[in-house]
Amino acid sequence: MYVLYMATRLVSLLLWALEIAMVVRAIASWIPSLDDKKWMDVVYMLTEPLVAPVRAIFERFSLFRNSPIDFSFVIAFLLLGMVQSSVAHFTALLFV
């Protein structure tokens, strides 16, 4: 049981780190001078696999095409939060 508990805690920690990376990406998008920093390449490398599938769905259905806000990022962030919440709930069900 301890191994399963540690695995769910590790997944929760990784999801939290992805959430932080997405917040950093959102803030950095407002500061143009940060785009050419090497550490931003790492942030994009971590977050783009989450955002790209949502963006592809939006492009396929021509949703929010002319919007100044990247709704694919917002939806990906919300989905990540839902997954993180589900993992926390699953952990609580198993181990409380």
Side-chain angles (χ1 to χ4, degrees):
M1 257 337 224
Y2 181 73
V3 173
L4 184 59
Y5 174 75
M6 291 306 294
T8 57
R9 294 298 299 163
L10 178 63
V11 168
S12 182
L13 180 65
L14 291 173
L15 291 172
W16 175 79
L18 278 173
E19 199 169 59
I20 295 299
M22 291 197 59
V23 169
V24 168
R25 178 177 172 168
I27 292 170
S29 71
W30 298 330
I31 306 170
S33 63
L34 293 179
D35 278 343
D36 58 349
K37 303 293 184 196
K38 292 288 183 190
W39 60 273
M40 279 305 297
D41 292 341
V42 173
V43 170
Y44 275 92
M45 183 183 68
L46 291 172
T47 59
E48 191 59 25
L50 301 172
V51 178
V54 178
R55 186 177 297 128
I57 291 170
F58 282 177
E59 287 174 357
R60 183 174 181 174
F61 295 107
S62 300
L63 297 172
F64 307 112
R65 186 170 295 225
N66 295 325
S67 175
I69 298 172
D70 186 4
F71 281 103
S72 59
F73 181 86
V74 174
I75 297 299
F77 186 78
L78 292 173
L79 289 172
L80 180 63
M82 289 171 54
V83 169
Q84 186 178 16
S85 178
S86 297
V87 168
H89 184 69
F90 175 74
T91 304
L93 285 175
L94 283 179
F95 303 107
V96 173

